Amino acid sequence: MIFPFLPDRSQPAPIYRQLYQRFRDSIADGRLRPGDRVPAVRSLAAELNLARGTVEAAYQLLIGEGYLITRGAAGTVVSTQLPPVSSSILRGPVISTVYQATHSGTLPLALQMGLPALDAFPRKLWTRLAGRQLRQDGVEGLVYPDARGHAPLRAAISTYLGISRGITCHPEQVFVCAGYRACLDLIHHTLMQRGDTCWLEEPGYFMARNALLEAGAQLVPVPVDEQGLDVAQGIARAPDARFAVVTPTHQSPLGISLSLPRRLALLDWANRRGSWIIEDDYDSEYRYLGKPLPALKSLDQQGRVLYTGTFSKVLFPGLRLAYLVVPAEQVDAFARLADRLHNYCPYVLQATVAAFLNEGHFARHLNKMRNLYARRRQWLVDALRQQFGARLLITPQAGGMHLVVGLRQGDDIEFAQRAQAVGIVVEPLSRWYLEAKPRHGLILGFTNIASPEQASAMALRLDKII
């Protein structure tokens, strides 16, 4: 039903007149627009539990006054030529909001970070694989999906991680979640208690920070230097912390890799304290100098690392598919909570990603994107250096999907606001700090720069702003 209708038998007006008036009101306030098709008499009568004659009488009155017109087999529609109608509905105020959503569903803007190259995604191949899944689905595609994730996808992820990330795990240890935030929510509900102390990189990923704060965690910012998270500082500040959230392959946002001595020190601390390490391996596939580094999880011998990865950065963000690998001893606990949280992801998307992995398309896509991103990053670096010279501090890291450029003077938040006003989205680095005196810089996404000319144009527009 397009609008709610509950007959009021206490009114003197008959039911068909009440239904007639409800149609008129809905047409007047825009809920029914010219050309909209209205339900057939039989189906509307069944939906409202009314006699067909009652609905028929209301329709005939509306047709007679010109509000509805019949089109034979095409059904009955709202007339495209209506006289002004005064509605009996008291209209409320127009609702507006100034809240700026993190993800609003709009197309990406220039230099926006956190997005893969949408122009290079193999959409035809993806559509073919998705269509095949829809055609082949039986009853299993219609029931509630497994809260842990589609079994073939979990098996494919397990195989992929063993080959590319050095992680030995069984499919039962893999949980498919609706994005990285859902992975954190599952960890929070399974293992975390309100008030638990948690190390967080400084600067660190603001989405993780917000999720942990909402979970009631007590955050302890731990500084990051040229070797990554300073584990000694973390131990000095909060030796009994129950969690540490880290991005060891490409630190978010600085892009630094956690050194091997620090990795071993972090694992040693977690083993001795019985603490948990949440490893966010968000874009480890994209490394442009040498081969991708092994995951911290690959060094975990005592089951203290909770490993998260995502398909949003390597395929497309509209998937909202991430995965969490938990120690074998924790599988049952996580399974219970996943079921309680209704941690369901669309079956068709999961099945399509499984086919994408199993048929070798994923590996080919990653190789293609590594080469493409290396070129696009260099285009932006060259354009910035040519336009700004020494006014910006540009130090590209070995991998990642964004550049961090340091400002020698000025306020990065003000620059970011001015850039957004002219259609350029850059992240101010200072917002990624929780407590320490922040560095001022800009975080620039390069993945959707399509040519050297576009990179030069972006650098020129930034120069006019800065």
Side-chain angles (χ1 to χ4, degrees):
M1 187 65 182
I2 297 173
F3 52 83
F5 176 71
L6 183 64
D8 187 352
R9 301 185 187 278
S10 66
Q11 289 188 15
I15 302 302
Y16 81 91
R17 291 286 307 188
Q18 295 179 36
L19 183 59
Y20 154 83
Q21 187 62 47
R22 184 53 59 89
F23 268 98
R24 283 192 53 175
D25 291 340
S26 297
I27 292 170
D29 65 17
R31 283 179 287 173
L32 281 175
R33 294 169 296 182
D36 282 353
R37 184 172 177 174
V38 298
V41 171
R42 182 191 298 272
S43 61
L44 185 58
E47 183 177 345
L48 299 179
N49 197 25
L50 297 174
R52 287 180 58 189
T54 300
V55 179
E56 182 70 35
Y59 273 30
Q60 288 303 319
L61 194 56
L62 291 162
I63 292 170
E65 294 184 2
Y67 297 111
L68 302 181
I69 58 175
T70 58
R71 290 183 173 172
T76 303
V77 300
V78 178
S79 174
T80 55
Q81 297 178 342
L82 288 174
V85 180
S86 61
S87 173
S88 62
I89 294 180
L90 295 177
R91 295 180 177 85
V94 176
I95 298 174
S96 63
T97 177
V98 295
Y99 172 71
Q100 297 293 320
T102 304
H103 303 299
S104 60
T106 57
L107 292 176
L109 297 175
L111 302 183
Q112 186 170 338
M113 68 169 295
L115 290 171
L118 302 180
D119 62 325
F121 182 73
R123 285 175 290 178
K124 290 183 178 179
L125 169 62
W126 179 265
T127 301
R128 177 168 60 81
L129 294 176
R132 188 178 70 193
Q133 296 302 322
L134 287 170
R135 289 191 300 271
Q136 293 178 350
D137 280 349
V139 176
E140 68 274 8
L142 306 178
V143 301
Y144 286 109
D146 188 337
R148 299 168 300 173
H150 184 46
L153 176 57
R154 296 164 68 203
I157 292 172
S158 174
T159 301
Y160 164 71
L161 293 177
I163 296 172
S164 69
R165 308 299 296 129
I167 297 174
T168 301
C169 64
H170 297 285
E172 291 76 16
Q173 295 174 249
V174 179
F175 290 80
V176 179
C177 303
Y180 174 59
R181 172 61 189 263
C183 292
L184 291 179
D185 287 343
L186 184 55
I187 293 170
H188 151 225
H189 284 93
T190 308
L191 297 176
M192 192 176 291
Q193 298 178 4
R194 197 164 194 85
D196 279 351
T197 304
C198 178
W199 294 0
L200 189 71
E201 295 169 327
E202 180 82 312
Y205 186 35
F206 62 90
M207 293 287 284
R209 179 178 68 202
N210 295 342
L212 293 167
L213 287 173
E214 290 170 12
Q218 299 296 316
L219 300 186
V220 176
V222 180
V224 172
D225 59 23
E226 65 279 358
Q227 295 187 58
L229 181 82
D230 191 334
V231 179
Q233 286 273 7
I235 295 173
R237 296 183 180 193
D240 298 326
R242 288 201 67 229
F243 292 88
V245 181
V246 295
T247 50
T249 302
H250 299 142
Q251 196 277 331
S252 179
L254 300 181
I256 297 163
S257 298
L258 186 63
S259 67
L260 180 58
R262 295 240 177 124
R263 291 176 183 233
L264 297 176
L266 182 60
L267 287 169
D268 178 68
W269 164 79
N271 293 336
R272 287 186 291 104
R273 295 290 183 177
S275 302
W276 298 102
I277 300 169
I278 302 173
E279 178 179 8
D280 179 8
D281 207 24
Y282 63 102
D283 68 352
S284 61
E285 292 85 359
Y286 298 129
R287 185 174 176 86
Y288 314 116
L289 299 175
K291 294 182 179 180
L293 298 175
L296 177 67
K297 177 67 176 174
S298 67
L299 302 173
D300 181 24
Q301 300 296 320
Q302 297 189 32
R304 306 313 306 175
V305 176
L306 306 163
Y307 176 90
T308 67
T310 179
F311 292 109
S312 296
K313 299 294 188 293
V314 292
L315 295 179
F316 59 93
L319 268 179
R320 304 308 300 145
L321 284 185
Y323 49 90
L324 168 66
V325 180
V326 306
E329 298 79 11
Q330 298 295 327
V331 166
D332 287 344
F334 275 86
R336 281 195 298 272
L337 265 296
D339 193 45
R340 282 175 52 189
L341 293 173
H342 290 191
N343 189 32
Y344 304 136
C345 298
Y347 168 84
V348 172
L349 293 180
Q350 293 192 66
T352 305
V353 174
F356 201 79
L357 283 161
N358 289 329
E359 296 177 18
H361 306 301
F362 189 69
R364 288 190 290 273
H365 180 65
L366 290 181
N367 287 332
K368 172 186 172 183
M369 302 310 286
R370 269 192 287 267
N371 294 329
L372 178 66
Y373 288 168
R375 290 198 304 274
R376 292 186 172 186
R377 184 178 75 158
Q378 194 60 49
W379 291 342
L380 183 58
V381 169
D382 291 345
L384 291 173
R385 284 175 173 164
Q386 181 175 0
Q387 187 68 41
F388 288 91
R391 288 180 293 151
L392 289 182
L393 181 61
I394 305 171
T395 53
Q397 296 297 326
M401 299 169 62
H402 62 259
L403 283 177
V404 178
V405 297
L407 295 175
R408 298 192 184 277
Q409 59 182 3
D411 183 275
D412 57 358
I413 295 178
E414 178 188 350
F415 291 151
Q417 292 171 343
R418 288 161 57 186
Q420 187 160 3
V422 296
I424 300 177
V425 177
V426 296
E427 284 282 336
L429 177 61
S430 63
R431 283 183 177 165
W432 293 57
Y433 286 82
L434 183 62
E435 291 182 357
K437 182 179 180 180
R439 288 172 49 190
H440 285 266
L442 300 175
I443 306 173
L444 315 175
F446 57 78
T447 53
N448 284 284
I449 292 178
S451 66
E453 292 75 21
Q454 185 182 7
S456 297
M458 290 298 102
L460 179 61
R461 290 172 66 184
L462 276 179
D463 194 12
K464 290 180 179 179
I465 294 166
I466 295 178

